[in-house]
Amino acid sequence: MAQIQKERRVYYLDCSYSMVSYKLWNKVRDNLIGAIDNISDETTEIIIIPFAFDSSTNPLLTPISALATKSGKDMLKKKINALPMSKKTMTYHYVPINDFYNNRVNSNRITYMFLMTDGQDEDNLQRTKTKLLPQWGEKYGNRNVFGFYVMLNDCAKDPNIDKIISNQSHLWKVETADVDINLIRLQNNAIFNVRNEKYFDIPIYGNIKGMNFNASFPRSSPYKVEKCSLEGNRLRVYVTSEKDVHKLPIASNQQLTISMSGGGQFDFLVTDNIVVKCESKPERSLKITVR
């Protein structure tokens, strides 16, 4: 049995005064609280990091963290509702992104970043566009790290940011204040023995109601996906090979690409590649001689 990898969710919450002037502050806090309430796995680590630039304060406020237990959620919700607000604030996006790069990724957990902002970046050096966001795919495209750039209103929309995000693996933009996003992930590895098995199963985590999944190996692979089916909370992948099983490698790692259809606007498949250890080994058997 594979061990379920634990999660860390990091929410950067824009606390600049424009959140009040745009009448977003109460709505965003309520939606963030709703997202926290809907985390069902009590081992999930939740980190809330408020940010706003004030000439008299540090642009990153003190992080608030807890596990997703009832007591942990209650503490986080109380802290969120009590967050301070200053009229003399500006929005610098490079500050939370830089903080995430340097401090928040946990290699032992699947890490998600939610950057929740209501306005244009006020950094004259444009460090987010020119330096930081273009690094995302190189840093995290092949790791269990996923980012959501949450644009809370029309003022947050930026075609240049959109273009950068669209070119990064494991990074998406979301145009909503509701961060209760359905994150769908699969176990990122599997084992299949072509001599003994017709299929293998991959566990799926997240709400998959009404969704369909497809899988494929590269054309260069000696293995082909015949069909896929959902069996409860598992994706069953049927595999064949056109080669003689005796001529296949005893073991090789093959990349399996996963795609999803039928989901809604806020359903995200965050695991799109899986490493499958494909084997061609004779089945072990126990021989008994009766005298």
Side-chain angles (χ1 to χ4, degrees), residues 227-286:
K227 64 178 181 177
C228 294
S229 65
L230 282 174
E231 306 294 334
N233 61 347
R234 293 173 178 268
L235 179 65
R236 181 161 291 177
V237 182
Y238 290 82
V239 178
T240 60
S241 177
E242 297 177 356
K243 288 189 175 183
D244 187 323
V245 295
H246 298 91
K247 295 181 179 179
L248 290 169
I250 293 176
S252 64
N253 288 336
Q254 303 289 329
Q255 287 285 340
L256 184 73
T257 300
I258 304 293
S259 61
M260 181 183 77
S261 60
Q265 184 180 0
F266 304 120
D267 296 315
F268 288 89
L269 176 66
V270 297
T271 312
D272 53 6
N273 284 291
I274 292 168
V275 177
V276 183
K277 184 179 180 181
C278 293
E279 299 179 337
S280 180
K281 296 180 180 180
E283 185 176 7
R284 294 180 180 180
S285 60
L286 178 64

Side-chain angles (χ1 to χ4, degrees), residues 137-153:
E138 183 179 351
K139 282 179 173 290
Y140 304 131
N142 293 313
R143 297 176 61 184
N144 279 327
V145 181
F146 308 94
F148 294 87
Y149 198 105
V150 185
M151 301 176 179
L152 299 177
N153 69 354

